Amino acid sequence: MNTNNDIAEKPKKKRGVRIALGMILTAAVLTAVFVRVNPKWKEAELTIEPAGRFFEIQSLMPEGDTLETRIAPPEGFERVPVKEGSFGEYLRKYPLLPDDIKLPVYDGSTINSTDVAAVFDISLGDEGYQQCADSVIRLYSDYFYENKQFDKISFMFSNGDVCDYERWRKGKRMLVFSGFSCEIPAALPDDSKQQYMNYLKEVMRYSGTLSLQKESEVISADELRVGDIICDDTHVVLIVDEATNEKGEKCYLIGQSFIPAVCFHILTRTEGREVTPWFTQEELEKESFVIGSFVFGKNDIRRWKNGF
């Protein structure tokens, strides 16, 4: 026989179970949110494999270990002077992987490409996020980070929202679902290099060619300088270096990454029987032109924010 006490205890037990289940569910949701908004960058193990190049690339000095020592200006041209500490100097002194190698891929494989002049010695994340737009963002951001210009490390997501490193290092995080995102407090302040790389991984997740277009303006080919991009809806390349001759004619080194994520690299073009890493201003002034395996138009030439 159930006593009055037994009858009174049953609702209490049910309420206790509901409270416990609610607490467990809440904890699970909070844990899932924390994991989602706190990505962990892990460096991929890259494979360096000889390519066995069967053709000559003009202006190439295989023994050089930086951009400026590996690729000389074309005959009759000189590199445009750059300021000490500038983005141009940063890229010219960027270390390179050995000459004549296959492109290292984030998953440890390699790709043999015939339009590569030099490969940057740059790390990749192990999840393959560092593709075309991501590699441009990475170089922009690393330059600011190494020069302690943390306030300039700020990138737009494809949905138009902004992810700011200064706020990230103070513990703010971006919660993203489909096209919606919002900033929430979800971590303790942390200005470590690992946390900076975690921030980059988050940006790479949700930014791309569309966000770079939103943060840039169309310029003419004769305005091109180091740091500018050539970007359409599907691909983006970066102007990495510039040279000029006595007539004022200009030429440029252009770099990219792509899908799957590979190390950022300098591209070549073929002119007659010659293969060169330098793209002429005349070439880029055409209504449409080819860089690598992508066709761009004059309205794809752009300057990110205020440029460098």
Side-chain angles (χ1 to χ4, degrees):
M1 178 181 293
N2 291 332
T3 64
N4 290 336
N5 287 339
D6 291 335
I7 295 173
E9 284 295 322
K10 287 183 178 180
K12 291 182 180 179
K13 289 181 179 179
K14 290 181 179 179
R15 186 164 58 250
V17 170
R18 287 198 294 270
I19 292 172
L21 289 175
M23 292 176 65
I24 293 171
L25 180 60
T26 299
V29 170
L30 290 176
T31 299
V33 169
F34 179 83
V35 171
R36 185 180 182 90
V37 302
N38 282 281
K40 299 296 182 185
W41 168 280
K42 183 180 178 183
E43 186 172 331
E45 294 185 8
L46 304 179
T47 300
I48 307 302
E49 185 178 1
R53 186 186 297 130
F54 57 87
F55 54 90
E56 181 182 354
I57 298 177
Q58 300 294 314
S59 306
L60 195 66
M61 299 180 288
E63 68 282 358
D65 58 5
T66 64
L67 190 65
E68 66 181 346
T69 59
R70 178 75 60 82
I71 300 176
E75 185 177 352
F77 284 74
E78 293 184 355
R79 277 186 160 90
V80 172
V82 294
K83 293 181 180 179
E84 183 178 353
S86 67
F87 188 51
E89 183 188 53
Y90 173 77
L91 292 175
R92 284 181 183 174
K93 296 185 180 302
Y94 208 98
L96 301 179
L97 292 172
D99 179 49
D100 192 18
I101 62 168
K102 297 179 181 180
L103 282 174
V105 185
Y106 78 96
D107 61 4
S109 64
T110 59
I111 294 175
N112 202 1
S113 175
T114 57
D115 59 0
V116 175
V119 183
F120 277 35
D121 187 0
I122 189 170
S123 63
L124 299 174
D126 68 341
E127 294 185 40
Y129 285 112
Q130 200 164 299
Q131 298 167 7
C132 63
D134 307 321
S135 64
V136 173
I137 289 170
R138 170 76 185 274
L139 289 169
Y140 285 168
S141 187
D142 279 0
Y143 167 70
F144 291 135
Y145 184 84
E146 292 182 22
N147 285 278
K148 303 188 184 303
Q149 299 180 46
F150 303 132
D151 60 313
K152 294 185 178 181
I153 305 175
S154 180
F155 298 94
M156 187 180 288
F157 288 167
S158 294
N159 68 0
D161 287 343
V162 173
C163 189
D164 184 276
Y165 175 63
E166 283 278 54
R167 297 180 65 78
W168 182 280
R169 65 204 291 252
K170 293 176 182 176
K172 304 296 183 180
R173 297 291 183 269
M174 298 298 291
L175 179 60
V176 183
F177 288 101
S178 187
F180 168 81
S181 60
C182 64
E183 187 181 77
I184 60 174
L188 296 174
D190 185 349
D191 60 1
S192 66
K193 181 63 178 293
Q194 176 63 47
Q195 196 56 249
Y196 165 68
M197 298 306 296
N198 295 345
Y199 162 80
L200 275 180
K201 181 176 179 177
E202 183 76 347
V203 172
M204 291 177 185
R205 278 176 169 176
Y206 302 113
S207 298
T209 53
L210 297 181
S211 62
L212 285 178
Q213 286 177 328
K214 291 175 182 177
E215 290 195 287
S216 62
E217 292 184 350
V218 174
I219 60 172
S220 61
D222 61 3
E223 295 178 88
L224 267 174
R225 63 181 188 229
V226 172
D228 291 337
I229 56 177
I230 303 175
C231 180
D232 62 14
D233 290 349
T234 59
H235 192 57
V236 58
V237 297
L238 177 67
I239 302 298
V240 177
D241 207 348
E242 179 183 357
T244 187
N245 63 13
E246 291 181 351
K247 297 178 181 179
E249 297 168 334
K250 296 179 181 179
C251 59
Y252 306 90
L253 294 180
I254 299 177
Q256 68 167 21
S257 180
F258 53 67
I259 300 172
V262 296
C263 290
F264 186 82
H265 52 279
I266 304 301
L267 289 161
T268 61
R269 68 181 184 89
T270 302
E271 184 175 335
R273 294 185 176 182
E274 291 189 349
V275 178
T276 174
W278 294 96
F279 289 75
T280 65
Q281 180 180 330
E282 181 182 9
E283 177 81 11
L284 301 180
E285 287 177 333
K286 295 178 180 178
E287 286 294 322
S288 66
F289 48 89
V290 176
I291 300 176
S293 56
F294 293 86
V295 178
F296 294 99
K298 63 179 183 179
N299 290 330
D300 297 326
I301 298 175
R302 311 180 72 92
R303 177 159 297 153
W304 181 72
K305 296 186 177 179
N306 295 320
F308 289 88

